[in-house]
Amino acid sequence: HPTDAILFDTSDTRPVDGKIFVIVRDRELTVKRCDIIDGTVYFKADNPSSAPGWLKPRRMDDPVAPIKIEGRVRWFGSWED
């Protein structure tokens, strides 16, 4: 959710299956879940219907728009009105 707060570890940039990371793709900073399938690293949206451009998982090593891991998410919380 756009108003959630997160805490992430910038020293933890190794992809781990099922974990959530702050990543950069196409100069856009975003938070996505890591999937490792047959040795290939993908990132996906937990809720793809609310993430334009993330209806399908994206390969980390995409030659057109590679993904860089900025850090692993360690905590998140939401703001309540």
Side-chain angles (χ1 to χ4, degrees):
H1 191 273
T3 61
D4 287 352
I6 62 168
L7 175 67
F8 66 102
D9 180 357
T10 59
S11 72
D12 192 348
T13 58
R14 183 181 57 85
V16 177
D17 188 55
K19 301 303 179 185
I20 300 172
F21 292 88
V22 173
I23 61 169
V24 175
R25 180 178 181 269
D26 284 337
R27 296 177 292 193
E28 179 184 333
L29 195 65
T30 187
V31 177
K32 299 292 179 249
R33 187 172 303 276
C34 179
D35 266 347
I36 301 176
I37 303 168
D38 295 331
T40 302
V41 179
Y42 295 87
F43 286 91
K44 66 180 185 179
D46 279 351
N47 186 0
S49 64
S50 70
W54 288 91
L55 293 177
K56 295 183 179 182
R58 304 285 183 172
R59 287 178 65 126
M60 184 173 177
D61 63 354
D62 183 309
V64 175
I67 292 172
K68 179 179 184 256
I69 297 174
E70 293 294 319
R72 183 171 162 189
V73 173
R74 296 297 185 168
W75 176 89
F76 64 92
S78 62
W79 298 101
E80 299 297 326
D81 288 332

